[in-house]
Amino acid sequence: MEPLLSQACSQTLAMVLWSTLITVAAGLPLGVLLVLTDRGGLLQNVVVNKVLGQVVNIGRSMPFIILMVALMGFTRWVTGTTIGTTAAIVPLAIGGIPFFARLVETAVREVDDGLVEAVQAMGGNTWTIVRKVLVPEALPSLIAAATTTIIALIGYSAMAGTVGGGGLGDLAVRYGYQRFETGLMWITVAVLAAVISLIQFAGDLAARSLHRRGSRSTAAPKLRLLKAGKPTASEAGKPA
């Protein structure tokens, strides 16, 4: 039982790790681009925004098990097979990209427009605004979005196991359901619950830490601005 469980855990870890890296690498710029090309954005382009939005909506609305079947031809073209851990990474990443992109879009929209206008006034271009303002200011929310995405990918990986993807989902189906080894199935459930709880705790901790650090770093400049706006004692005594 232990060798089976350790092998399934390593397969799930590999699937989730690689699909997360691909999802973040593609979903982050896609989410930022959705904000930039929207009405009033720095790269306003309604047509591009609508097309990207529809692609993201279609990707999010499709159930993952159907997405896996629909992408079998593409998965075989990329990996040479449609079963196994490597093959499962392809639909996992494609399913995770639109999910994460929408979360990124929401996080970036929360950034104060005043900061963007300040950088523009100093001559900053779009790339500077994205790199120096949008992403750093939205980082705590982006960490929370990545945490939610990782947990969703773990759930997707369990579904991938039901169609030959390997991992904990495959172990639970083959031994817990088909061979009626209920104990092993509940162990699998407990492992998944423990992993998800650990990831959620780590993500929340990182997001809170970044939020507190950001609050401290912006407190001093705000205080200086407030002090600069107050008249000195000599200025207050001068006639208008």
Side-chain angles (χ1 to χ4, degrees):
M1 179 183 295
E2 186 175 346
L4 289 173
L5 189 60
S6 61
Q7 181 183 14
C9 287
S10 63
Q11 290 174 343
T12 297
L13 179 62
M15 283 189 287
V16 174
L17 176 61
W18 285 107
S19 60
T20 298
L21 293 175
I22 298 171
T23 295
V24 172
L28 180 60
L30 179 57
V32 173
L33 191 60
L34 285 169
V35 177
L36 296 178
T37 57
D38 200 3
R39 295 184 185 276
L42 298 174
L43 301 175
Q44 179 176 321
N45 190 316
V46 177
V47 176
V48 172
N49 185 265
K50 292 296 182 183
V51 171
L52 291 177
Q54 287 301 319
V55 171
V56 169
N57 289 338
I58 293 171
R60 289 182 61 202
S61 64
M62 188 173 296
F64 180 71
I65 193 71
I66 297 177
L67 181 65
M68 285 193 65
V69 176
L71 291 174
M72 278 187 175
F74 179 72
T75 301
R76 184 181 290 109
W77 178 73
V78 173
T79 64
T81 182
T82 58
I83 60 175
T85 302
T86 303
I89 294 172
V90 176
L92 280 171
I94 293 177
I97 288 170
F99 181 86
F100 183 63
R102 279 300 184 195
L103 296 178
V104 170
E105 180 188 10
T106 302
V108 173
R109 288 191 188 280
E110 295 175 354
V111 176
D112 188 2
D113 291 337
L115 295 174
V116 175
E117 293 172 359
V119 176
Q120 284 181 310
M122 291 185 291
N125 56 22
T126 301
W127 170 243
T128 301
I129 292 171
V130 171
R131 188 167 54 94
K132 296 292 188 179
V133 178
L134 295 181
V135 173
E137 291 294 323
L139 193 55
S141 297
L142 292 176
I143 294 295
T147 302
T148 303
T149 303
I150 292 172
I151 293 174
L153 289 174
I154 292 175
Y156 291 166
S157 70
M159 284 187 279
T162 64
V163 290
L168 292 171
D170 176 60
L171 183 67
V173 170
R174 284 195 297 120
Y175 290 88
Y177 176 71
Q178 296 177 350
R179 301 187 184 184
F180 302 101
E181 296 186 20
T182 309
L184 183 58
M185 183 179 66
W186 284 112
I187 290 174
T188 303
V189 171
V191 170
L192 285 171
V195 170
I196 289 173
S197 298
L198 181 62
I199 291 173
Q200 187 67 62
F201 173 78
D204 291 343
L205 184 63
R208 286 197 298 267
S209 176
L210 288 171
H211 182 73
R212 288 196 297 266
R213 186 182 303 173
S215 299
R216 287 196 298 267
S217 64
T218 57
K222 288 181 179 179
L223 183 59
R224 286 196 295 268
L225 288 173
L226 288 174
K227 287 182 178 180
K230 292 181 180 180
T232 61
S234 58
E235 291 175 342
K238 291 181 180 180

